[in-house]
Amino acid sequence: ARQRHLLIHVGAIDGHRVAVFIRDISERRRFEMMRRDFVTNVSHELKTPAGAIALLAETITDAADDPDAVRYFSGRISKESERLTNLVQRLIELQRAESTSGVASAQQVDALDVVKDAAQQNAVQAEHKHIDIRVTHSGGPAVVRVDRRALTTAVKNLIENAIHYSPSDTTVTADVARHDAEGTVTIRVIDQGIGIPEQSLDRIFERFYRVDPARSRDTGGTGLGLAITKHCVEECGGTISAWSHEGSGSTFTIELPLDGDADEADASDGAGA
Ligand code: ADP
């Protein structure tokens, strides 16, 4: 069982009676601990590239009369500063995902449009690795009521990872399906990449969790992408799950409630498809 933290106030009411107030602050304590861990992680992640930059800058000064060395070290400096920029950008995204309430900005959108947008946003990286992004669709119009930006961020991150963790000349499939019987819309991002070990599957959505920290860092990963993605999906009223066969690929599935009013809306203003 989890340890509970209770705050007990004892106050005298008069000479004969005392009042005892007991407040359960376990949640608050847990939250504070999580926040502290987070700050520790962020500091560590920032310190690593910052320290590397300082060291490289020093080295470059020593090697000033060797053009090859200068070129090599300045390349490394660029890479490290890119890592810093990525991390700060991700932190801003995470902060935004955690602080906005999707309910306020929910609108009716076609999940297929969102997936096409997200695929488009990854087109350059995909082309770079000769990866074919295939968008497929089944069932009727996949209309959902969500914060469009949040859903786009989520799908964009999944496709980005799919490309990132796949070898060249493979296919990433982004599939949108409407399931009338279940009243849901699913978005699946399927890759033919390195896969995820089974024991890591339920941890990959944690902030800063990486299956292979060195590989992730080397390739510009921050370990925040899936934490942001999960937040965005939940903000959209959905759930996300991962499935994988190590060595042959991964599938991420977002499930969202189908917008109940979608069909009438389709009929009246032609929105959706
Ligand atoms: P990162 O910036 O490291 O990619 P994420 O939060 O996006 O961070 O992902 C967490 C970890 O989950 C990654 O470091 C990687 O080990 C694993 N992962 C995520 N997506 C995939 C994928 N499509 N294929 C294989 N591994 C993945």
Side-chain angles (χ1 to χ4, degrees), residues 90 157-158 161-166 191 193-196 204-206 208-213 216-217 220-227 229 244 249-250 252:
R90 285 298 204 189
N157 284 351
L158 292 182
N161 278 349
I163 296 169
H164 200 136
Y165 297 102
S166 291
D191 68 52
I194 61 171
I196 302 161
I204 51 175
F205 295 101
E206 292 171 19
F208 296 114
Y209 182 83
R210 295 130 153 161
V211 175
D212 180 349
S216 160
R217 283 200 193 92
T222 58
L224 289 174
L226 286 179
T229 301
S244 179
S250 310
F252 285 82

PDB file of all heavy atoms in Angstrom, residues 90 157-158 161-166 191 193-196 204-206 208-213 216-217 220-227 229 244 249-250 252, ligand 1:
ATOM      1  N   ARG A  90      10.764  21.618 -26.439  1.00  0.00           N
ATOM      2  CA  ARG A  90       9.932  20.544 -25.899  1.00  0.00           C
ATOM      3  C   ARG A  90       9.355  20.925 -24.541  1.00  0.00           C
ATOM      4  O   ARG A  90       8.219  20.594 -24.236  1.00  0.00           O
ATOM      5  CB  ARG A  90      10.749  19.266 -25.744  1.00  0.00           C
ATOM      6  CG  ARG A  90      11.043  18.561 -27.036  1.00  0.00           C
ATOM      7  CD  ARG A  90       9.771  18.129 -27.685  1.00  0.00           C
ATOM      8  NE  ARG A  90       9.994  17.005 -28.570  1.00  0.00           N
ATOM      9  CZ  ARG A  90       9.106  16.519 -29.398  1.00  0.00           C
ATOM     10  NH1 ARG A  90       7.913  17.080 -29.472  1.00  0.00           N
ATOM     11  NH2 ARG A  90       9.367  15.491 -30.156  1.00  0.00           N
ATOM     12  N   ASN A 157       4.078  14.124 -33.348  1.00  0.00           N
ATOM     13  CA  ASN A 157       5.114  13.486 -32.520  1.00  0.00           C
ATOM     14  C   ASN A 157       5.228  11.993 -32.793  1.00  0.00           C
ATOM     15  O   ASN A 157       6.330  11.449 -32.845  1.00  0.00           O
ATOM     16  CB  ASN A 157       4.814  13.680 -31.029  1.00  0.00           C
ATOM     17  CG  ASN A 157       5.133  15.088 -30.560  1.00  0.00           C
ATOM     18  OD1 ASN A 157       5.724  15.880 -31.295  1.00  0.00           O
ATOM     19  ND2 ASN A 157       4.735  15.415 -29.344  1.00  0.00           N
ATOM     20  N   LEU A 158       4.074  11.324 -32.954  1.00  0.00           N
ATOM     21  CA  LEU A 158       4.116   9.873 -33.197  1.00  0.00           C
ATOM     22  C   LEU A 158       4.775   9.570 -34.540  1.00  0.00           C
ATOM     23  O   LEU A 158       5.593   8.654 -34.649  1.00  0.00           O
ATOM     24  CB  LEU A 158       2.697   9.283 -33.167  1.00  0.00           C
ATOM     25  CG  LEU A 158       1.994   9.272 -31.816  1.00  0.00           C
ATOM     26  CD1 LEU A 158       0.625   8.603 -31.943  1.00  0.00           C
ATOM     27  CD2 LEU A 158       2.827   8.551 -30.758  1.00  0.00           C
ATOM     28  N   ASN A 161       8.546  10.164 -34.255  1.00  0.00           N
ATOM     29  CA  ASN A 161       9.220   9.026 -33.619  1.00  0.00           C
ATOM     30  C   ASN A 161       9.310   7.834 -34.566  1.00  0.00           C
ATOM     31  O   ASN A 161      10.332   7.152 -34.624  1.00  0.00           O
ATOM     32  CB  ASN A 161       8.476   8.583 -32.358  1.00  0.00           C
ATOM     33  CG  ASN A 161       8.840   9.433 -31.154  1.00  0.00           C
ATOM     34  OD1 ASN A 161       9.778  10.206 -31.196  1.00  0.00           O
ATOM     35  ND2 ASN A 161       8.076   9.291 -30.094  1.00  0.00           N
ATOM     36  N   ALA A 162       8.207   7.571 -35.275  1.00  0.00           N
ATOM     37  CA  ALA A 162       8.179   6.427 -36.192  1.00  0.00           C
ATOM     38  C   ALA A 162       9.320   6.553 -37.202  1.00  0.00           C
ATOM     39  O   ALA A 162      10.029   5.581 -37.489  1.00  0.00           O
ATOM     40  CB  ALA A 162       6.826   6.351 -36.896  1.00  0.00           C
ATOM     41  N   ILE A 163       9.534   7.768 -37.703  1.00  0.00           N
ATOM     42  CA  ILE A 163      10.616   8.005 -38.666  1.00  0.00           C
ATOM     43  C   ILE A 163      11.970   7.854 -37.975  1.00  0.00           C
ATOM     44  O   ILE A 163      12.873   7.179 -38.457  1.00  0.00           O
ATOM     45  CB  ILE A 163      10.486   9.416 -39.285  1.00  0.00           C
ATOM     46  CG1 ILE A 163       9.199   9.523 -40.099  1.00  0.00           C
ATOM     47  CG2 ILE A 163      11.711   9.762 -40.142  1.00  0.00           C
ATOM     48  CD1 ILE A 163       8.848  10.935 -40.534  1.00  0.00           C
ATOM     49  N   HIS A 164      12.050   8.481 -36.815  1.00  0.00           N
ATOM     50  CA  HIS A 164      13.281   8.515 -36.035  1.00  0.00           C
ATOM     51  C   HIS A 164      13.801   7.109 -35.703  1.00  0.00           C
ATOM     52  O   HIS A 164      14.989   6.834 -35.778  1.00  0.00           O
ATOM     53  CB  HIS A 164      12.961   9.270 -34.747  1.00  0.00           C
ATOM     54  CG  HIS A 164      14.146   9.808 -34.050  1.00  0.00           C
ATOM     55  ND1 HIS A 164      14.181  11.073 -33.537  1.00  0.00           N
ATOM     56  CD2 HIS A 164      15.335   9.268 -33.769  1.00  0.00           C
ATOM     57  CE1 HIS A 164      15.347  11.272 -32.976  1.00  0.00           C
ATOM     58  NE2 HIS A 164      16.063  10.206 -33.100  1.00  0.00           N
ATOM     59  N   TYR A 165      12.895   6.224 -35.304  1.00  0.00           N
ATOM     60  CA  TYR A 165      13.297   4.893 -34.851  1.00  0.00           C
ATOM     61  C   TYR A 165      13.111   3.820 -35.920  1.00  0.00           C
ATOM     62  O   TYR A 165      12.922   2.653 -35.599  1.00  0.00           O
ATOM     63  CB  TYR A 165      12.566   4.547 -33.548  1.00  0.00           C
ATOM     64  CG  TYR A 165      12.951   5.494 -32.425  1.00  0.00           C
ATOM     65  CD1 TYR A 165      12.110   6.536 -32.039  1.00  0.00           C
ATOM     66  CD2 TYR A 165      14.188   5.378 -31.797  1.00  0.00           C
ATOM     67  CE1 TYR A 165      12.488   7.430 -31.045  1.00  0.00           C
ATOM     68  CE2 TYR A 165      14.567   6.260 -30.806  1.00  0.00           C
ATOM     69  CZ  TYR A 165      13.714   7.284 -30.435  1.00  0.00           C
ATOM     70  OH  TYR A 165      14.089   8.165 -29.453  1.00  0.00           O
ATOM     71  N   SER A 166      13.141   4.235 -37.191  1.00  0.00           N
ATOM     72  CA  SER A 166      13.040   3.269 -38.290  1.00  0.00           C
ATOM     73  C   SER A 166      14.253   3.392 -39.200  1.00  0.00           C
ATOM     74  O   SER A 166      14.783   4.486 -39.363  1.00  0.00           O
ATOM     75  CB  SER A 166      11.789   3.550 -39.137  1.00  0.00           C
ATOM     76  OG  SER A 166      10.619   3.249 -38.429  1.00  0.00           O
ATOM     77  N   ASP A 191       4.971   1.609 -37.583  1.00  0.00           N
ATOM     78  CA  ASP A 191       6.282   1.667 -38.259  1.00  0.00           C
ATOM     79  C   ASP A 191       6.916   0.293 -38.361  1.00  0.00           C
ATOM     80  O   ASP A 191       6.424  -0.676 -37.773  1.00  0.00           O
ATOM     81  CB  ASP A 191       7.214   2.677 -37.565  1.00  0.00           C
ATOM     82  CG  ASP A 191       7.629   2.239 -36.178  1.00  0.00           C
ATOM     83  OD1 ASP A 191       8.108   1.100 -36.021  1.00  0.00           O
ATOM     84  OD2 ASP A 191       7.482   3.042 -35.221  1.00  0.00           O
ATOM     85  N   GLY A 193      10.155  -0.170 -37.594  1.00  0.00           N
ATOM     86  CA  GLY A 193      11.440   0.202 -37.005  1.00  0.00           C
ATOM     87  C   GLY A 193      11.978  -0.764 -35.974  1.00  0.00           C
ATOM     88  O   GLY A 193      11.619  -1.953 -35.949  1.00  0.00           O
ATOM     89  N   ILE A 194      12.797  -0.225 -35.075  1.00  0.00           N
ATOM     90  CA  ILE A 194      13.540  -1.052 -34.131  1.00  0.00           C
ATOM     91  C   ILE A 194      12.658  -1.683 -33.053  1.00  0.00           C
ATOM     92  O   ILE A 194      13.058  -2.625 -32.394  1.00  0.00           O
ATOM     93  CB  ILE A 194      14.679  -0.253 -33.450  1.00  0.00           C
ATOM     94  CG1 ILE A 194      14.119   0.932 -32.655  1.00  0.00           C
ATOM     95  CG2 ILE A 194      15.692   0.216 -34.478  1.00  0.00           C
ATOM     96  CD1 ILE A 194      15.170   1.629 -31.785  1.00  0.00           C
ATOM     97  N   GLY A 195      11.466  -1.135 -32.857  1.00  0.00           N
ATOM     98  CA  GLY A 195      10.567  -1.688 -31.849  1.00  0.00           C
ATOM     99  C   GLY A 195      10.944  -1.277 -30.432  1.00  0.00           C
ATOM    100  O   GLY A 195      11.953  -0.600 -30.214  1.00  0.00           O
ATOM    101  N   ILE A 196      10.113  -1.685 -29.484  1.00  0.00           N
ATOM    102  CA  ILE A 196      10.288  -1.301 -28.080  1.00  0.00           C
ATOM    103  C   ILE A 196      10.197  -2.570 -27.239  1.00  0.00           C
ATOM    104  O   ILE A 196       9.253  -3.347 -27.400  1.00  0.00           O
ATOM    105  CB  ILE A 196       9.174  -0.320 -27.657  1.00  0.00           C
ATOM    106  CG1 ILE A 196       9.194   0.915 -28.562  1.00  0.00           C
ATOM    107  CG2 ILE A 196       9.280   0.066 -26.185  1.00  0.00           C
ATOM    108  CD1 ILE A 196       7.914   1.714 -28.555  1.00  0.00           C
ATOM    109  N   ILE A 204       7.320   4.280 -21.534  1.00  0.00           N
ATOM    110  CA  ILE A 204       7.744   5.251 -22.557  1.00  0.00           C
ATOM    111  C   ILE A 204       6.968   6.565 -22.526  1.00  0.00           C
ATOM    112  O   ILE A 204       7.434   7.546 -23.076  1.00  0.00           O
ATOM    113  CB  ILE A 204       7.672   4.647 -23.977  1.00  0.00           C
ATOM    114  CG1 ILE A 204       6.305   4.028 -24.207  1.00  0.00           C
ATOM    115  CG2 ILE A 204       8.800   3.635 -24.202  1.00  0.00           C
ATOM    116  CD1 ILE A 204       6.117   3.513 -25.621  1.00  0.00           C
ATOM    117  N   PHE A 205       5.807   6.577 -21.852  1.00  0.00           N
ATOM    118  CA  PHE A 205       5.044   7.827 -21.799  1.00  0.00           C
ATOM    119  C   PHE A 205       5.482   8.728 -20.638  1.00  0.00           C
ATOM    120  O   PHE A 205       4.999   9.835 -20.480  1.00  0.00           O
ATOM    121  CB  PHE A 205       3.540   7.533 -21.704  1.00  0.00           C
ATOM    122  CG  PHE A 205       3.010   6.846 -22.936  1.00  0.00           C
ATOM    123  CD1 PHE A 205       2.784   5.474 -22.935  1.00  0.00           C
ATOM    124  CD2 PHE A 205       2.776   7.556 -24.103  1.00  0.00           C
ATOM    125  CE1 PHE A 205       2.321   4.829 -24.079  1.00  0.00           C
ATOM    126  CE2 PHE A 205       2.311   6.927 -25.255  1.00  0.00           C
ATOM    127  CZ  PHE A 205       2.078   5.547 -25.238  1.00  0.00           C
ATOM    128  N   GLU A 206       6.414   8.209 -19.807  1.00  0.00           N
ATOM    129  CA  GLU A 206       6.915   9.031 -18.693  1.00  0.00           C
ATOM    130  C   GLU A 206       7.891  10.066 -19.220  1.00  0.00           C
ATOM    131  O   GLU A 206       8.656   9.783 -20.145  1.00  0.00           O
ATOM    132  CB  GLU A 206       7.682   8.143 -17.692  1.00  0.00           C
ATOM    133  CG  GLU A 206       6.818   7.177 -16.944  1.00  0.00           C
ATOM    134  CD  GLU A 206       7.658   6.178 -16.133  1.00  0.00           C
ATOM    135  OE1 GLU A 206       8.838   6.440 -15.869  1.00  0.00           O
ATOM    136  OE2 GLU A 206       7.090   5.125 -15.790  1.00  0.00           O
ATOM    137  N   PHE A 208      11.118  11.935 -19.773  1.00  0.00           N
ATOM    138  CA  PHE A 208      12.543  11.614 -19.777  1.00  0.00           C
ATOM    139  C   PHE A 208      12.856  10.116 -19.822  1.00  0.00           C
ATOM    140  O   PHE A 208      13.997   9.732 -19.736  1.00  0.00           O
ATOM    141  CB  PHE A 208      13.279  12.260 -18.586  1.00  0.00           C
ATOM    142  CG  PHE A 208      13.263  13.755 -18.640  1.00  0.00           C
ATOM    143  CD1 PHE A 208      12.575  14.500 -17.689  1.00  0.00           C
ATOM    144  CD2 PHE A 208      13.926  14.424 -19.657  1.00  0.00           C
ATOM    145  CE1 PHE A 208      12.551  15.882 -17.749  1.00  0.00           C
ATOM    146  CE2 PHE A 208      13.903  15.805 -19.722  1.00  0.00           C
ATOM    147  CZ  PHE A 208      13.217  16.538 -18.773  1.00  0.00           C
ATOM    148  N   TYR A 209      11.827   9.280 -19.948  1.00  0.00           N
ATOM    149  CA  TYR A 209      12.140   7.851 -20.081  1.00  0.00           C
ATOM    150  C   TYR A 209      12.559   7.568 -21.519  1.00  0.00           C
ATOM    151  O   TYR A 209      11.899   7.966 -22.466  1.00  0.00           O
ATOM    152  CB  TYR A 209      10.946   6.967 -19.705  1.00  0.00           C
ATOM    153  CG  TYR A 209      11.316   5.500 -19.797  1.00  0.00           C
ATOM    154  CD1 TYR A 209      11.966   4.868 -18.752  1.00  0.00           C
ATOM    155  CD2 TYR A 209      11.078   4.791 -20.975  1.00  0.00           C
ATOM    156  CE1 TYR A 209      12.366   3.544 -18.859  1.00  0.00           C
ATOM    157  CE2 TYR A 209      11.481   3.458 -21.085  1.00  0.00           C
ATOM    158  CZ  TYR A 209      12.119   2.855 -20.022  1.00  0.00           C
ATOM    159  OH  TYR A 209      12.523   1.549 -20.145  1.00  0.00           O
ATOM    160  N   ARG A 210      13.658   6.873 -21.693  1.00  0.00           N
ATOM    161  CA  ARG A 210      14.100   6.434 -23.017  1.00  0.00           C
ATOM    162  C   ARG A 210      14.582   5.009 -22.898  1.00  0.00           C
ATOM    163  O   ARG A 210      15.217   4.643 -21.915  1.00  0.00           O
ATOM    164  CB  ARG A 210      15.293   7.249 -23.507  1.00  0.00           C
ATOM    165  CG  ARG A 210      14.995   8.705 -23.738  1.00  0.00           C
ATOM    166  CD  ARG A 210      16.046   9.500 -23.038  1.00  0.00           C
ATOM    167  NE  ARG A 210      16.255  10.786 -23.672  1.00  0.00           N
ATOM    168  CZ  ARG A 210      16.839  11.788 -23.060  1.00  0.00           C
ATOM    169  NH1 ARG A 210      17.258  11.643 -21.826  1.00  0.00           N
ATOM    170  NH2 ARG A 210      17.008  12.908 -23.690  1.00  0.00           N
ATOM    171  N   VAL A 211      14.308   4.220 -23.938  1.00  0.00           N
ATOM    172  CA  VAL A 211      14.760   2.834 -23.923  1.00  0.00           C
ATOM    173  C   VAL A 211      16.291   2.824 -23.973  1.00  0.00           C
ATOM    174  O   VAL A 211      16.943   2.108 -23.240  1.00  0.00           O
ATOM    175  CB  VAL A 211      14.174   2.058 -25.120  1.00  0.00           C
ATOM    176  CG1 VAL A 211      14.755   0.647 -25.171  1.00  0.00           C
ATOM    177  CG2 VAL A 211      12.653   2.011 -25.018  1.00  0.00           C
ATOM    178  N   ASP A 212      16.844   3.663 -24.837  1.00  0.00           N
ATOM    179  CA  ASP A 212      18.288   3.716 -25.012  1.00  0.00           C
ATOM    180  C   ASP A 212      18.719   5.181 -24.913  1.00  0.00           C
ATOM    181  O   ASP A 212      18.738   5.897 -25.920  1.00  0.00           O
ATOM    182  CB  ASP A 212      18.632   3.119 -26.387  1.00  0.00           C
ATOM    183  CG  ASP A 212      20.118   3.128 -26.663  1.00  0.00           C
ATOM    184  OD1 ASP A 212      20.875   3.770 -25.905  1.00  0.00           O
ATOM    185  OD2 ASP A 212      20.527   2.488 -27.645  1.00  0.00           O
ATOM    186  N   PRO A 213      19.006   5.644 -23.683  1.00  0.00           N
ATOM    187  CA  PRO A 213      19.259   7.078 -23.479  1.00  0.00           C
ATOM    188  C   PRO A 213      20.354   7.633 -24.382  1.00  0.00           C
ATOM    189  O   PRO A 213      20.194   8.718 -24.948  1.00  0.00           O
ATOM    190  CB  PRO A 213      19.682   7.158 -22.017  1.00  0.00           C
ATOM    191  CG  PRO A 213      19.157   5.927 -21.379  1.00  0.00           C
ATOM    192  CD  PRO A 213      19.133   4.882 -22.449  1.00  0.00           C
ATOM    193  N   SER A 216      19.047   7.966 -27.966  1.00  0.00           N
ATOM    194  CA  SER A 216      18.062   9.040 -28.067  1.00  0.00           C
ATOM    195  C   SER A 216      18.748  10.400 -28.051  1.00  0.00           C
ATOM    196  O   SER A 216      18.480  11.264 -28.878  1.00  0.00           O
ATOM    197  CB  SER A 216      17.050   8.934 -26.925  1.00  0.00           C
ATOM    198  OG  SER A 216      16.403  10.161 -26.741  1.00  0.00           O
ATOM    199  N   ARG A 217      19.691  10.599 -27.106  1.00  0.00           N
ATOM    200  CA  ARG A 217      20.366  11.892 -26.995  1.00  0.00           C
ATOM    201  C   ARG A 217      21.195  12.182 -28.234  1.00  0.00           C
ATOM    202  O   ARG A 217      21.173  13.278 -28.762  1.00  0.00           O
ATOM    203  CB  ARG A 217      21.273  11.916 -25.774  1.00  0.00           C
ATOM    204  CG  ARG A 217      20.511  12.098 -24.495  1.00  0.00           C
ATOM    205  CD  ARG A 217      21.396  12.609 -23.380  1.00  0.00           C
ATOM    206  NE  ARG A 217      20.679  12.456 -22.121  1.00  0.00           N
ATOM    207  CZ  ARG A 217      20.783  11.389 -21.349  1.00  0.00           C
ATOM    208  NH1 ARG A 217      21.595  10.410 -21.675  1.00  0.00           N
ATOM    209  NH2 ARG A 217      20.088  11.310 -20.241  1.00  0.00           N
ATOM    210  N   GLY A 220      19.280  13.539 -31.018  1.00  0.00           N
ATOM    211  CA  GLY A 220      18.499  14.758 -30.775  1.00  0.00           C
ATOM    212  C   GLY A 220      17.227  14.546 -29.975  1.00  0.00           C
ATOM    213  O   GLY A 220      16.400  15.447 -29.851  1.00  0.00           O
ATOM    214  N   GLY A 221      17.027  13.337 -29.416  1.00  0.00           N
ATOM    215  CA  GLY A 221      15.823  13.070 -28.637  1.00  0.00           C
ATOM    216  C   GLY A 221      15.885  13.753 -27.276  1.00  0.00           C
ATOM    217  O   GLY A 221      16.963  14.026 -26.758  1.00  0.00           O
ATOM    218  N   THR A 222      14.713  14.036 -26.716  1.00  0.00           N
ATOM    219  CA  THR A 222      14.667  14.700 -25.417  1.00  0.00           C
ATOM    220  C   THR A 222      14.006  13.819 -24.365  1.00  0.00           C
ATOM    221  O   THR A 222      14.073  14.113 -23.183  1.00  0.00           O
ATOM    222  CB  THR A 222      13.850  16.005 -25.491  1.00  0.00           C
ATOM    223  OG1 THR A 222      12.531  15.659 -25.942  1.00  0.00           O
ATOM    224  CG2 THR A 222      14.469  16.994 -26.455  1.00  0.00           C
ATOM    225  N   GLY A 223      13.341  12.758 -24.788  1.00  0.00           N
ATOM    226  CA  GLY A 223      12.617  11.918 -23.843  1.00  0.00           C
ATOM    227  C   GLY A 223      11.318  12.554 -23.368  1.00  0.00           C
ATOM    228  O   GLY A 223      10.685  12.082 -22.430  1.00  0.00           O
ATOM    229  N   LEU A 224      10.907  13.634 -24.046  1.00  0.00           N
ATOM    230  CA  LEU A 224       9.678  14.325 -23.630  1.00  0.00           C
ATOM    231  C   LEU A 224       8.535  14.148 -24.630  1.00  0.00           C
ATOM    232  O   LEU A 224       7.376  14.398 -24.310  1.00  0.00           O
ATOM    233  CB  LEU A 224       9.952  15.822 -23.447  1.00  0.00           C
ATOM    234  CG  LEU A 224      10.806  16.204 -22.232  1.00  0.00           C
ATOM    235  CD1 LEU A 224      11.113  17.696 -22.258  1.00  0.00           C
ATOM    236  CD2 LEU A 224      10.093  15.836 -20.940  1.00  0.00           C
ATOM    237  N   GLY A 225       8.885  13.705 -25.834  1.00  0.00           N
ATOM    238  CA  GLY A 225       7.886  13.641 -26.910  1.00  0.00           C
ATOM    239  C   GLY A 225       6.624  12.886 -26.546  1.00  0.00           C
ATOM    240  O   GLY A 225       5.510  13.397 -26.722  1.00  0.00           O
ATOM    241  N   LEU A 226       6.789  11.681 -26.013  1.00  0.00           N
ATOM    242  CA  LEU A 226       5.603  10.872 -25.733  1.00  0.00           C
ATOM    243  C   LEU A 226       4.828  11.368 -24.510  1.00  0.00           C
ATOM    244  O   LEU A 226       3.614  11.185 -24.432  1.00  0.00           O
ATOM    245  CB  LEU A 226       5.988   9.396 -25.566  1.00  0.00           C
ATOM    246  CG  LEU A 226       6.345   8.660 -26.863  1.00  0.00           C
ATOM    247  CD1 LEU A 226       6.726   7.216 -26.556  1.00  0.00           C
ATOM    248  CD2 LEU A 226       5.196   8.698 -27.869  1.00  0.00           C
ATOM    249  N   ALA A 227       5.542  12.008 -23.570  1.00  0.00           N
ATOM    250  CA  ALA A 227       4.836  12.587 -22.418  1.00  0.00           C
ATOM    251  C   ALA A 227       3.921  13.713 -22.920  1.00  0.00           C
ATOM    252  O   ALA A 227       2.760  13.837 -22.488  1.00  0.00           O
ATOM    253  CB  ALA A 227       5.834  13.119 -21.395  1.00  0.00           C
ATOM    254  N   THR A 229       2.787  13.978 -25.987  1.00  0.00           N
ATOM    255  CA  THR A 229       1.755  13.336 -26.810  1.00  0.00           C
ATOM    256  C   THR A 229       0.601  12.827 -25.944  1.00  0.00           C
ATOM    257  O   THR A 229      -0.572  13.062 -26.251  1.00  0.00           O
ATOM    258  CB  THR A 229       2.384  12.159 -27.597  1.00  0.00           C
ATOM    259  OG1 THR A 229       3.432  12.701 -28.394  1.00  0.00           O
ATOM    260  CG2 THR A 229       1.380  11.462 -28.458  1.00  0.00           C
ATOM    261  N   SER A 244       4.259  -3.324 -29.544  1.00  0.00           N
ATOM    262  CA  SER A 244       5.473  -3.442 -30.340  1.00  0.00           C
ATOM    263  C   SER A 244       6.011  -4.855 -30.386  1.00  0.00           C
ATOM    264  O   SER A 244       5.791  -5.650 -29.476  1.00  0.00           O
ATOM    265  CB  SER A 244       6.553  -2.522 -29.788  1.00  0.00           C
ATOM    266  OG  SER A 244       7.727  -2.643 -30.546  1.00  0.00           O
ATOM    267  N   GLY A 249       8.997  -3.518 -35.385  1.00  0.00           N
ATOM    268  CA  GLY A 249       8.148  -2.329 -35.501  1.00  0.00           C
ATOM    269  C   GLY A 249       7.260  -2.056 -34.302  1.00  0.00           C
ATOM    270  O   GLY A 249       7.161  -2.874 -33.388  1.00  0.00           O
ATOM    271  N   SER A 250       6.654  -0.877 -34.319  1.00  0.00           N
ATOM    272  CA  SER A 250       5.780  -0.448 -33.230  1.00  0.00           C
ATOM    273  C   SER A 250       4.491   0.117 -33.805  1.00  0.00           C
ATOM    274  O   SER A 250       4.468   0.617 -34.927  1.00  0.00           O
ATOM    275  CB  SER A 250       6.434   0.660 -32.407  1.00  0.00           C
ATOM    276  OG  SER A 250       7.742   0.299 -32.038  1.00  0.00           O
ATOM    277  N   PHE A 252       1.382   2.719 -32.439  1.00  0.00           N
ATOM    278  CA  PHE A 252       0.785   3.583 -31.422  1.00  0.00           C
ATOM    279  C   PHE A 252      -0.655   3.845 -31.836  1.00  0.00           C
ATOM    280  O   PHE A 252      -0.915   4.182 -32.992  1.00  0.00           O
ATOM    281  CB  PHE A 252       1.552   4.904 -31.305  1.00  0.00           C
ATOM    282  CG  PHE A 252       2.866   4.742 -30.587  1.00  0.00           C
ATOM    283  CD1 PHE A 252       3.985   4.286 -31.258  1.00  0.00           C
ATOM    284  CD2 PHE A 252       2.960   5.024 -29.221  1.00  0.00           C
ATOM    285  CE1 PHE A 252       5.195   4.106 -30.590  1.00  0.00           C
ATOM    286  CE2 PHE A 252       4.171   4.851 -28.550  1.00  0.00           C
ATOM    287  CZ  PHE A 252       5.287   4.388 -29.238  1.00  0.00           C
TER     288      PHE A 252
HETATM  289  P1  ADP B   1      12.672  10.751 -27.481  1.00  0.00           P
HETATM  290  O1  ADP B   1      12.894  12.220 -27.597  1.00  0.00           O
HETATM  291  O2  ADP B   1      13.791  10.038 -26.801  1.00  0.00           O
HETATM  292  O3  ADP B   1      12.276  10.115 -28.778  1.00  0.00           O
HETATM  293  P2  ADP B   1       9.956  10.141 -26.613  1.00  0.00           P
HETATM  294  O4  ADP B   1       9.250  10.532 -25.376  1.00  0.00           O
HETATM  295  O5  ADP B   1       9.380  10.593 -27.897  1.00  0.00           O
HETATM  296  O6  ADP B   1      11.454  10.620 -26.447  1.00  0.00           O
HETATM  297  O7  ADP B   1      10.061   8.563 -26.637  1.00  0.00           O
HETATM  298  C1  ADP B   1      10.532   7.877 -25.483  1.00  0.00           C
HETATM  299  C2  ADP B   1      11.292   6.630 -25.883  1.00  0.00           C
HETATM  300  O8  ADP B   1      10.397   5.666 -26.447  1.00  0.00           O
HETATM  301  C3  ADP B   1      12.361   6.848 -26.942  1.00  0.00           C
HETATM  302  O9  ADP B   1      13.583   7.249 -26.395  1.00  0.00           O
HETATM  303  C4  ADP B   1      12.448   5.488 -27.602  1.00  0.00           C
HETATM  304  O10 ADP B   1      13.295   4.659 -26.837  1.00  0.00           O
HETATM  305  C5  ADP B   1      11.033   4.944 -27.483  1.00  0.00           C
HETATM  306  N1  ADP B   1      10.231   5.107 -28.729  1.00  0.00           N
HETATM  307  C6  ADP B   1       9.284   6.044 -28.955  1.00  0.00           C
HETATM  308  N2  ADP B   1       8.704   5.874 -30.165  1.00  0.00           N
HETATM  309  C7  ADP B   1       9.294   4.790 -30.717  1.00  0.00           C
HETATM  310  C8  ADP B   1       9.138   4.080 -31.952  1.00  0.00           C
HETATM  311  N3  ADP B   1       8.231   4.449 -32.869  1.00  0.00           N
HETATM  312  N4  ADP B   1       9.930   2.990 -32.158  1.00  0.00           N
HETATM  313  C9  ADP B   1      10.828   2.611 -31.236  1.00  0.00           C
HETATM  314  N5  ADP B   1      11.028   3.219 -30.054  1.00  0.00           N
HETATM  315  C10 ADP B   1      10.276   4.300 -29.791  1.00  0.00           C
END
